[in-house]
Amino acid sequence: EVTLINPFLVPEPQEQAVLDHWEQARDFLETQPGYISTTLHRSIQPNSKFHYINVAKWESTADFKTAISKMNKSLSPLSIPGVEFYPALYEVIRN
Amino acid sequence: EVTLINPFLVPEPQEQAVLDHWEQARDFLETQPGYISTTLHRSIQPNSKFHYINVAKWESTADFKTAISKMNKSLSPLSIPGVEFYPALYEVIRN
């Protein structure tokens, strides 16, 4: 199992557009083989470095990469200025 | 319910010392009222911005803050050069 953790920065005026795009991507990805779950978090502290962090679980790195490349072919890419994503894949090492 | 998400940077030589400190803190915090779970993630991609991200769930912000202040009184603080933490509290807005 792998975990995608994607902290991102969104200029306030763009928040709804980014959330709409996030939902489109989630609706696509949740139909893909190896998808387990996704949880989008919004900060409740005004001075946090990242206002949004998505945490998604997949059966494997390969499943995740296959799904993302299929999504990129079928959905229009997010082209909103000022949005910064820092996605990476993680393994759980302690509980 | 609130989620603490704490991305952190650790210079490679300090990783074991930071993990040891993380375990001490986890062992203390998991005994505190309102603690639900914690999951420490390590990146499986070399070029990720954050090598470690901790995701912990608590019943409430108040429970979390009380536990942290008690921990700070009973455990010695982490004083390892080069370690950078970016903790913040989050709410879940989409699944």
Side-chain angles (χ1 to χ4, degrees), chain A residues 3-7 86-90, chain B residues 43-45 47-50:
Chain A
T3 305
L4 167 80
I5 304 181
N6 181 15
Y86 298 94
L89 287 175
Y90 292 80
Chain B
S43 171
I44 56 174
Q45 293 174 302
N47 54 357
S48 60
K49 184 170 175 71
F50 295 104

Side-chain angles (χ1 to χ4, degrees), chain A residues 22-23 26 38-45 48-50 53 86 88-95, chain B residues 22-23 26 38-45 48-50 53 86 88-95:
Chain A
W22 185 89
E23 284 178 357
R26 186 262 330 263
T38 193
T39 308
L40 181 60
H41 304 81
R42 178 170 42 207
S43 171
I44 55 175
Q45 293 174 302
S48 61
K49 184 169 174 71
F50 296 103
I53 297 185
Y86 298 94
L89 287 175
Y90 292 80
E91 62 186 345
V92 173
I93 57 163
R94 299 281 192 289
N95 279 108
Chain B
W22 185 90
E23 285 178 356
R26 185 263 331 261
T38 193
T39 307
L40 181 60
H41 303 80
R42 177 168 47 207
S43 171
I44 56 174
Q45 293 174 302
S48 60
K49 184 170 175 71
F50 295 104
I53 297 185
Y86 298 94
L89 286 174
Y90 292 79
E91 62 185 345
V92 173
I93 57 165
R94 300 281 194 286
N95 279 105

Side-chain angles (χ1 to χ4, degrees), chain A residues 60-78:
Chain A
S60 72
T61 300
D63 286 336
F64 171 73
K65 290 190 169 172
T66 303
I68 290 293
S69 68
K70 276 165 71 180
M71 181 183 78
N72 290 336
K73 287 181 195 115
S74 82
L75 294 188
S76 54
L78 180 73

